[in-house]
């Protein structure tokens, strides 16, 4: 029985281990961490005959080496043990690549980019599902890609070429039966980096700004990783309003479908999708007539960036052959995405908005630009490298007060002082930030309390979702307490001095 090792006991790693076990591999799963939750998972997987090693790193010593290593998305691609594995000739792939090898007979949409991936992915999935297609969102959103592969039953085995390495002999791969129609995958740079043969039917590139440079080192390397996914895609959709991508334009991507919220005159190519007179307009070739597809005003989400996301989602749907009625139904009903400008509640005219997914300066700048002012902003966490100039300018324009949390708080305070902004408080934790933000919103007559951290979450939370969930719960708890207090005052008897 061939041996495989999976690194990382997260959702993706567990799904990869189960998929490999189903395919007949002897599977070992390793994770350098240990906790009560991980110990419970260890016991559960042991019952499935999957060995789990906690609190220790993978070692490649001795003769009994695995034939395959599968890496979870959060594991850096260049750690010493993976470099050694490749030197030893051990095939090393990411979880996304493993899912692709099991689902490659199905059409994929692959969405990548620095910002906008999640909203675009969710909207694409909603449109496909409105067209009565079974098209789950997976990858960085929804299911792990290998969970989708596990949901498909296999039937007669069919030999197909293993595209992971040139010149390899045909291998037997399962023929998929009773499965889904499309795979809609949000794919991060980490997942592209560890996928050798992933080739979507439609590739979508939302935005490109500096991010994850601590892992990818240079902007050029980060760009080339993203570009690999689009080069391997049969059809390509680009955000033509993105400064970096539009600068490259047709010289780098001559066959792509470009989009623009600014209108036909700003369309980079002779084919693409643009906004005109509140309509998304389709132009599929140089000679085809423009065709209105859906009204922009039916989209509930605010901000120009969401109109860009809408254009890319509609472009993808049309290239997949989905009709206008299904697109219109999906867009009218689409509520938005959790943790990305998610409206939590309104109390006494103050909107509480969760933008926890804004994990870099560019995303946080967009978040601030999209809401009403004045704003009480909660920011901070684990700082990332990047240009904070635009973000700081938005703070100066729209924020009445900034509350700083997490390890980045002292650095952010210094940066705010450097640009002449002194209306900030270091509160350290979300538990202190939410009630303080609510008080300040009343004091400054602010219309919005906005969590838009401009930071990763790992100093205080496992991920941005947990951070956003905590913010949501604190906001709802505060609003409920305020409501109870208000009702208590109303129901209390008047003091004797006020009796009539």
């Amino acid at each position: 029985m061939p041996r495989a090792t999976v690194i990382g006991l997260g959702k993706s790693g567990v799904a990869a281990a189960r998929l490999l076990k189903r395919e007949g591999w002897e599977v070992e799963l390793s994770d350098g961490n240990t906790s009560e939750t991980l110990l419970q998972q260890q016991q559960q997987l042991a019952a499935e005959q999957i060995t789990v090693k906690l609190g220790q790193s993978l070692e490649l010593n001795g003769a009994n080496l695995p034939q395959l290593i599968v890496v979870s998305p959060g594991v850096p691609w260049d750690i010493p043990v993976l470099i050694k594995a490749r030197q030893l000739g051990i095939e090393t792939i990411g979880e996304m690549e493993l899912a692709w090898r099991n689902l490659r007979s199905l059409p994929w949409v692959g969405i990548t980019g620095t910002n906008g991936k999640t909203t675009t992915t969710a909207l694409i999935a909603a449109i496909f599902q409105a067209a009565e297609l079974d098209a789950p969102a997976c990858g960085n959103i929804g299911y792990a890609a290998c969970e989708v592969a596990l949901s498909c039953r296999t039937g007669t085995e069919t030999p197909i070429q293993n595209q992971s390495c040139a010149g390899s002999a045909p291998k037997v791969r399962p023929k998929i039966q009773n499965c889904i129609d499309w795979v809609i995958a949000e794919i991060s740079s980490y997942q592209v980096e560890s996928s050798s043969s992933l080739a979507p039917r439609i590739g979508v590139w939302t935005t490109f700004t500096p991010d994850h440079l601590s892992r990818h080192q240079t902007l050029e390397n980060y760009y080339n990783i993203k570009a690999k996914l689009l080069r391997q895609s049969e059809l390509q959709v680009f955000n033509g309003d993105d400064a970096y991508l539009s600068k490259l334009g047709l010289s780098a991507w001559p066959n792509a479908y470009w989009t623009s919220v600014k209108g036909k005159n700003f369309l980079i190519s002779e084919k693409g999708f643009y906004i005109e007179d509140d309509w998304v307009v389709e132009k599929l070739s140089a000679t085809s007539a423009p065709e209105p597809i859906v009204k922009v005003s039916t989209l509930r989400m605010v901000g120009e960036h969401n109109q860009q996301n809408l254009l890319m989602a509609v472009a993808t749907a049309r290239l997949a052959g989905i009709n206008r009625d299904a697109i219109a139904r999906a867009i009218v009903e689409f509520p938005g995405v959790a943790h990305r400008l998610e409206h939590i509640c309104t109390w006494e005219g103050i909107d509480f908005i969760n933008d926890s997914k804004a994990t870099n300066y560019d995303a946080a700048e967009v978040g601030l630009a999209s809401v009403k002012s004045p704003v009480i902003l909660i920011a901070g966490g684990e700082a990332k490298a990047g240009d904070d100039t635009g973000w700081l300018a938005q703070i100066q324009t729209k924020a009445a007060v900034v509350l700083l949390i997490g390890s980045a708080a002292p650095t952010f305070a210094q940066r705010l002082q450097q640009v002449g902004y002194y209306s900030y408080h270091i509160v350290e934790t979300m538990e202190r930030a939410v009630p303080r933000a609510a008080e300040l919103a009343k004091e400054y007559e602010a219309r919005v309390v906005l969590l838009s951290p401009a930071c990763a979450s790992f100093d205080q939370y496992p991920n941005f979702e947990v951070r956003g969930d905590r913010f949501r719960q604190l906001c709802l708890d505060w609003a409920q307490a305020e409501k109870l207090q208000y009702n208590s005052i109303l129901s209390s008897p008047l003091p004797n001095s006020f009796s009539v």
Side-chain angles (χ1 to χ4, degrees):
M1 183 182 294
R3 295 183 64 248
T5 295
V6 178
I7 303 178
L9 188 58
K11 179 171 67 173
S12 298
V14 170
R18 285 174 169 154
L19 182 58
L20 288 166
K21 186 67 180 177
R22 189 180 76 176
E23 290 187 328
W25 292 78
E26 179 186 341
V27 184
E28 178 180 288
L29 204 160
S30 69
D31 196 298
N33 299 311
T34 185
S35 68
E36 193 64 37
T37 301
L38 294 179
L39 287 168
Q40 291 174 1
Q41 284 186 294
Q42 182 185 46
Q43 294 175 356
Q44 181 180 358
L45 290 166
E48 301 174 35
Q49 298 183 310
I50 295 173
T51 302
V52 177
K53 294 186 176 180
L54 297 176
Q56 54 186 294
S57 300
L58 174 65
E59 294 184 359
L60 298 174
N61 300 317
N64 195 23
L65 297 175
Q67 287 77 51
L68 176 68
I69 296 175
V70 178
V71 183
S72 297
V75 178
W77 192 236
D78 58 354
I79 58 175
V81 70
L82 296 184
I83 294 173
K84 182 178 180 180
R86 292 191 284 270
Q87 290 172 343
L88 291 170
I90 300 171
E91 186 175 21
T92 306
I93 63 173
E95 179 263 346
M96 183 67 69
E97 172 74 10
L98 178 63
W100 163 254
R101 293 183 183 186
N102 280 267
L103 298 173
R104 69 206 304 169
S105 63
L106 298 173
W108 283 51
V109 178
I111 302 98
T112 196
T114 309
N115 298 310
K117 296 188 299 295
T118 298
T119 302
T120 304
T121 302
L123 188 49
I124 289 171
I127 294 171
F128 278 57
Q129 288 157 20
E132 299 184 352
L133 294 168
D134 190 349
C138 67
N140 255 19
I141 180 177
Y143 302 102
C146 281
E147 284 184 298
V148 176
L150 279 166
S151 72
C152 296
R153 297 197 295 111
T154 57
T156 307
E157 293 193 323
T158 306
I160 62 173
Q161 182 72 27
N162 178 3
Q163 298 173 3
S164 62
C165 51
S168 60
K171 294 187 177 181
V172 171
R173 295 291 179 194
K175 181 180 179 181
I176 296 172
Q177 293 181 339
N178 298 329
C179 196
I180 58 176
D181 300 306
W182 282 79
V183 179
I184 313 296
E186 178 188 334
I187 305 174
S188 71
S189 56
Y190 301 173
Q191 291 164 317
V192 177
E193 187 178 37
S194 59
S195 298
S196 56
S197 64
L198 176 60
R201 174 77 57 82
I202 303 171
V204 182
W205 196 336
T206 60
T207 54
F208 185 76
T209 53
D211 198 11
H212 304 303
L213 297 187
S214 59
R215 173 151 167 174
H216 299 313
Q217 306 304 319
T218 67
L219 189 65
E220 181 182 15
N221 190 40
Y222 179 45
Y223 172 84
N224 287 333
I225 290 168
K226 295 280 191 188
K228 184 176 86 168
L229 179 73
L230 275 293
R231 291 192 185 105
Q232 294 183 179
S233 299
E234 184 179 333
L235 299 170
Q236 302 157 343
V237 175
F238 280 79
N239 176 7
D241 296 319
D242 180 83
Y244 195 99
L245 297 176
S246 63
K247 186 177 179 181
L248 296 171
L250 293 176
S251 61
W253 305 97
N255 299 314
Y257 291 85
W258 293 85
T259 65
S260 180
V261 300
K262 301 173 184 176
K264 182 179 179 180
N265 293 337
F266 290 86
L267 206 59
I268 291 172
S269 172
E270 292 183 320
K271 62 182 184 182
F273 294 75
Y274 57 91
I275 292 176
E276 187 173 84
D277 298 330
D278 193 39
W279 282 90
V280 171
V281 179
E282 166 189 284
K283 196 172 189 305
L284 291 180
S285 70
T287 57
S288 64
E291 182 179 354
I293 303 300
V294 66
K295 289 185 77 69
V296 177
S297 56
T298 58
L299 183 70
R300 296 190 211 176
M301 297 181 296
V302 299
E304 185 177 274
H305 68 290
N306 277 321
Q307 294 181 5
Q308 294 170 351
N309 298 335
L310 171 65
L311 279 171
M312 290 180 285
V314 172
T316 301
R318 293 296 288 167
L319 293 175
I322 293 175
N323 65 49
R324 287 179 293 180
D325 290 343
I327 294 171
R329 283 197 306 275
I331 290 168
V332 167
E333 296 170 1
F334 188 69
V337 175
H339 312 297
R340 189 58 174 134
L341 291 171
E342 174 193 7
H343 182 268
I344 302 299
C345 61
T346 300
W347 178 251
E348 293 188 356
I350 304 165
D351 291 327
F352 291 78
I353 295 178
N354 170 22
D355 198 31
S356 181
K357 199 175 190 305
T359 58
N360 56 51
Y361 297 119
D362 296 288
E365 180 185 346
V366 168
L368 266 172
S370 300
V371 299
K372 300 172 185 176
S373 59
V375 178
I376 306 299
L377 173 66
I378 301 171
E382 185 179 288
K384 290 183 176 182
D387 183 359
D388 63 2
T389 308
W391 176 64
L392 291 170
Q394 277 292 339
I395 288 175
Q396 290 174 293
T397 301
K398 302 197 74 167
V401 181
V402 179
L403 300 179
L404 299 173
I405 64 173
S407 61
T411 304
F412 280 7
Q414 186 177 17
R415 287 293 292 132
L416 288 169
Q417 289 181 30
Q418 288 171 353
V419 298
Y421 186 97
Y422 294 93
S423 186
Y424 68 84
H425 305 282
I426 295 178
V427 295
E428 298 180 342
T429 67
M430 196 77 75
E431 287 72 18
R432 293 176 185 169
V434 169
R436 183 72 176 125
E439 293 170 6
L440 289 167
K442 293 178 182 178
E443 180 181 338
Y444 285 86
E445 297 184 350
R447 304 174 72 180
V448 173
V449 170
L450 173 68
L451 169 67
S452 192
C455 282
S457 59
F458 304 123
D459 58 332
Q460 294 179 319
Y461 300 94
N463 51 54
F464 73 82
E465 292 98 336
V466 174
R467 175 173 63 189
D469 289 342
R470 184 58 178 154
F471 174 75
R472 184 193 300 111
Q473 191 58 54
L474 288 167
C475 290
L476 294 174
D477 289 348
W478 178 87
Q480 181 64 23
E482 287 288 300
K483 183 178 179 181
L484 290 172
Q485 183 178 4
Y486 179 74
N487 290 339
S488 176
I489 292 170
L490 289 180
S491 61
S492 297
L494 291 172
N496 290 335
S497 58
F498 289 103
S499 61
V500 291

